[in-house]
Amino acid sequence: MSSSSSSGIYVSRGVALLLAGLTAALLMVLVALAALYGKCARVQPSEQHSPGVKGTALSLPGGQEQGPPTRTPETAPEPALATTSQDWRPPSGPWDHLRLPPWLVPLHYDLELWPRLRPDDLSTPSLTFTGRVNITVRCTVATSRLLLHSFVLNYKQVEVWGPLAPDTRDATVGRVPVDNVWFALDMHYMVLDLGQALHPGSRYELNLGFSGQVLQDTSEGLFLNFYTDQGEHRALIASQMEPTYARNVFPCFDEPALKATFNITIIHHPGYVALSNMPQLDQSERIDVNGSRWTVTTFHTTPRMPTYLVALAICDFGHVSRTERGKEIRVWARKDDIADGNVDFAVNITGPIFSFLEDLFNISYPLPKTDIIALPNFDNRAMENWGLLIFDEVSLLLEADDKLTEKRAMILAVISHEVGHQWFGNLVTMSWWSNIWLNEGFASYFELGIISYFYPKLPRNEIFFFNVLHGVLREDHALESRAVSTEVENFTETSEINELFDIYTYNKGACMARMLDGFLNQHVFINALKSYLETFSYSNAEQDDLWRHFQMAIDEQNITHLPTTVKSIMDSWTYQGGFPVVTLNVSTGVMKQEPFYLEKAENRTLANHNNTWIVPIFWMKNGTTQPLVWLDKSSMVFPEMQLSDSDSDWVILNFNVTGYYRVNYDELGWKKLNQQLEKDPKAIPVIHRLQLVSDAFALSKNNYIEIETALELTKYLAEEDEILVWFEVLVNLINRSVISDVNNYAIYPLLKKYLLKRLNSIWNTYSAIIRENVAALQDNYLALLSLEKFVETACWLGLEDCLQLSKELFRKWMADPETAIPYPIQRVVLCNGIALGSDKEWDFLLSFYINTTEEEEGTHLLQALSCSKEPWILNRFMEYAITVSPSPFNDTNIIEVVAASEVGRYVAKDFLINNWLAVSQRYGPQSLDGLVWVLGRTVSTDLQVMELQWFLGNVLDEHQRIAAHAKLQAMKTENLKNKKRIARMAEWLWKNI
């Protein structure tokens, strides 16, 4: 693998002295050359001694530091300077590979960081930090070349000492000469060429002094948050090291298996508090050259942990604390939020979550404290750092008057996920990023158990269906989706590791854990996890280690029997992308499996896919749960699943939707289920009514069954009183492909007539609740989740009472904005209020938006402004957006917002064509990528494509024209496919109204 962008810089002490005597003109040349190197890190000559880092001689800007003398080697020749041209590239070597060579094993880090954040100086355009680190390592292979991770750091000192005496780290030892230091930027390596080889089995110290930048616009490495608290502008610093950002903060061995202990020291302004993984050990004072006083906070030694869990925060937050089983839990947040009680829910629930998991696994949380901090802005939502959990405040804070279970359940889920990581990830860490799902999948799965523990009335299976399974089944398919366990060594750059933190790692990983729990009894499942966690505590594990402990638990009992080993079963799921469609012929009992493809082609067979799955078949017959069976071949016969001619004979596969697959039936199987739904829908559990709708529409959309088969399942809906089942029906029946195309309007009166007569009963139930006591829904988490789509559809279908309810709520709110619109339907009510109103309502809402500070609420208001049915209002809206400066809409592309509405998409299209220059100047030429979709949403003929292509040809360069044309052709194909599908839906509706 080539290192196309690697470069290197070499220095020595001798040459440093020579450089010190050069003229000012030569210094200016050096500055210019440094600029040419761009982001390349630099090694600088040592200047003066620094305490705390043995052997370094690091000068920190603005710092006055005195300490013990550095080690004096008996024979340590100065490194020779190697000059290099700008286009120099290293030869091929270990720096070409994503993983470090196994030459050194880190044992301990002494890490000191000094960010220069001052509460009285928040206007600095860039903020620097300095640091130094002693890394104690053990050599495993004789080598005269060292590699460790470093990225966007500058260096002032690089030294290697050793070998260390076996009895103490502080013994006087010699210095290993460092001849050259250079950087392989592709894989973020710092390379040290030594004057002599290190000895296998011996320990050494790497002493490094460095500096870097505190970032402002991203949550990577060390980063800043600016915010307002108690009426003042303030700032804080926090860290995010996962997956590979520790190397942006300090030089290190930045791989999850290279665990070590850490002694962390943070130097900070006395007006701030410093937090890290462990409790504070000591504080002292340091005075810099300007006479400013800084606080030096040291922390206790951490347990063995990977670099990605190193954490720190420097802030002036307040906190609330609780004690759980003798260990302190502190939640830190803005002082305003502390005073308002917004952290109370989090601080009261976190301790019991720890206790629940301690009791479940019979393994105590090993750290003496836990700090949790709520950041005003954190891109990652939450991070599980050992002892210092970092959250975005939206995911942690609950306003004292917010009684909705929906919000509480969300916060509970996020906290549960991060606390779950204290065992899955922190105590036992995956050996390499290939198995990151062992961290994220199990943490995601145990969210479910914790929510059920604290809210036992919530339907566990339905929550998992909506929160986890539903989303990943929409994304996963056999051809392009990746396996849960992915080969990472072949990645060409470190940034690809970030891409592993996706829906497959989290959601599919949780589905794997749930399926495993399903075909084992829970006693075996938990015992296996206990054994796994105990065996690999403070260490690392791979997927096979987990399977081995499950197999041990299986072998120790004789209740649960499997068709093969746990490894064979689970490897069939984790090493291939996609999932199977399991089809049962109820006449013959023949069951087969095949991969689920998007838009299955007639000639595509199982032969196109490498493997089958070993599928656990959980099933129910005539309302009674049946013993588990296994489908471990492409086709098998199960005589017990054959059905008689009786109307009451029916079968459903995948009981409780525990398995990760979709289910199909032959024509008779679907007919039997339809008959049962129409006769007595409650005989089929809610989770399976959801499953039937979800599977049938997904299978019909992708050519496994006819659309008419899915539509037959909706005939019984007049008897359906579960709003979450209605939600699943509506998201499949009424979606953008139905609404967007003008040619689809023929289906509207048919849908209206078909659905309204079935919807009246459940509408009356929920409209009464909304009018009389919406608080009655506060504990019905899934109803709150479903209510918006339900009300939106009822109003779209023209249900008079729905429109009247929207007008009532909007007018009450307009008369008194303190009279809140019920949160679950706020977006729908605002949209309908504007759609049914005039420019009076529109102008009021715009004024309200301009005075709104809440980002989430502002998004709802902008969407509502685009709901007007008046083209002149929408045109005025877009003109306002591109002419007013500064824009009150920040970076939101108002043309795209308008184009999302039914009327707005045509107005936006004309506006864009007539005002392209002004739109381009306002939003930038790159905005066309999004706007091409606006233009193409109704394209269904070559003539329409040509018309749009003609317009685009006048405003785009050649490359952009080619890309836009390809998008338009793809949209035309998709629109034509939808048009055919909708025509068949219309025909069926006509027959069944």
Side-chain angles (χ1 to χ4, degrees), residues 70 94 229 373 867:
T70 59
D229 193 14
I373 185 168
C867 292

Side-chain angles (χ1 to χ4, degrees), residues 667-878:
E667 185 177 349
L668 179 61
W670 285 114
K671 180 180 177 182
K672 293 273 191 180
L673 291 168
N674 286 327
Q675 289 173 342
Q676 184 59 45
L677 285 172
E678 294 190 55
K679 182 174 68 175
D680 180 14
K682 293 299 179 72
I684 299 178
V686 176
I687 186 63
H688 289 295
R689 305 204 298 273
L690 279 170
Q691 174 206 14
L692 289 171
V693 172
S694 178
D695 282 352
F697 276 99
L699 293 171
S700 70
K701 183 178 180 182
N702 292 287
N703 305 326
Y704 286 84
I705 62 175
E706 305 297 338
I707 181 60
E708 292 82 359
T709 303
L711 291 170
E712 288 288 332
L713 289 172
T714 66
K715 285 183 174 180
Y716 86 100
L717 282 175
E719 304 302 319
E720 181 57 77
D721 59 1
E722 291 286 351
I723 192 172
L724 63 160
V725 179
W726 268 100
F727 172 85
E728 187 65 19
V729 171
L730 296 177
V731 296
N732 281 286
L733 265 185
I734 301 174
N735 48 49
R736 187 158 304 283
S737 65
V738 173
I739 296 172
S740 292
D741 194 335
V742 67
N743 297 316
N744 295 339
Y745 284 156
I747 199 175
Y748 177 79
L750 301 173
L751 275 172
K752 179 175 181 177
K753 194 168 184 179
Y754 180 78
L755 286 175
L756 286 186
K757 71 177 183 180
R758 289 168 170 79
L759 186 134
N760 271 324
S761 177
I762 192 169
W763 169 260
N764 291 336
T765 299
Y766 281 93
S767 63
I769 292 173
I770 294 169
R771 283 189 168 98
E772 296 167 13
N773 182 22
V774 73
L777 292 176
Q778 67 184 31
D779 291 328
N780 193 337
Y781 169 65
L782 292 173
L784 292 170
L785 185 76
S786 309
L787 195 60
E788 180 182 78
K789 179 66 177 180
F790 179 70
V791 175
E792 178 185 47
T793 304
C795 287
W796 181 77
L797 291 170
L799 182 64
E800 187 58 36
D801 190 51
C802 181
L803 299 174
Q804 186 60 38
L805 174 62
S806 294
K807 284 192 285 189
E808 288 174 14
L809 293 173
F810 188 90
R811 287 170 182 169
K812 286 180 182 177
W813 172 76
M814 190 172 169
D816 179 12
E818 295 298 318
T819 305
I821 300 169
Y823 174 76
I825 59 171
Q826 183 186 72
R827 186 184 65 84
V828 177
V829 169
L830 290 173
C831 183
N832 283 313
I834 293 298
L836 300 169
S838 65
D839 56 331
K840 175 184 176 183
E841 285 78 13
W842 197 95
D843 292 342
F844 173 84
L845 194 63
L846 176 64
S847 176
F848 191 87
Y849 167 83
I850 291 172
N851 292 293
T852 296
T853 57
E854 292 292 332
E855 183 176 348
E856 184 177 0
E857 183 181 12
T859 300
H860 286 169
L861 298 175
L862 278 182
Q863 291 172 343
L865 287 168
S866 72
C867 292
S868 175
K869 303 293 186 184
E870 295 290 345
W872 72 269
I873 291 179
L874 295 175
N875 202 72
R876 185 184 66 171
F877 186 20
M878 292 184 287

Side-chain angles (χ1 to χ4, degrees), residues 876-917:
R876 185 184 66 171
F877 186 20
M878 292 184 287
E879 284 183 352
Y880 183 75
I882 65 172
T883 56
V884 174
S885 182
S887 172
F889 310 123
N890 299 318
D891 294 327
T892 302
N893 190 321
I894 298 302
I895 289 80
E896 286 191 37
V897 173
V898 169
S901 69
E902 289 183 70
V903 174
R905 63 176 174 269
Y906 301 106
V907 180
K909 177 180 173 181
D910 291 340
F911 184 87
L912 182 61
I913 290 173
N914 294 326
N915 299 275
W916 167 246
L917 184 60

Side-chain angles (χ1 to χ4, degrees), residues 10-20 42-50 53-61 65 70-71 73 76-79 81 131-132 154-161 175 178 181 207-210:
Y10 308 82
V11 298
S12 72
R13 290 180 183 272
V15 175
L17 295 175
L18 177 62
L19 291 175
R42 296 181 297 279
V43 180
Q44 300 174 357
S46 61
E47 296 174 0
Q48 82 181 55
H49 301 321
S50 302
V53 181
K54 301 178 183 65
T56 61
L58 172 62
S59 174
L60 302 178
E65 307 162 33
T70 59
R71 290 169 172 163
E78 297 293 338
L81 177 70
R132 51 240 178 123
N154 299 320
Y155 287 85
K156 290 197 170 184
Q157 187 64 41
V158 179
E159 294 180 350
V160 178
W161 292 83
R175 192 179 78 184
V178 179
V181 179
N207 303 153
L208 306 110
F210 53 91

Side-chain angles (χ1 to χ4, degrees), residues 23-36:
T23 64
L26 180 56
L27 289 175
M28 292 176 65
V29 171
L30 292 175
V31 170
L33 288 173
L36 289 173

Side-chain angles (χ1 to χ4, degrees), residues 316 356 408 441 450 531 577 699 762 931 935 937 956:
D316 63 351
F356 172 82
R408 291 170 178 264
I450 293 168
S531 174
L699 293 171
I762 192 169
L931 292 171
L935 293 168
R937 276 169 50 187
L956 301 180

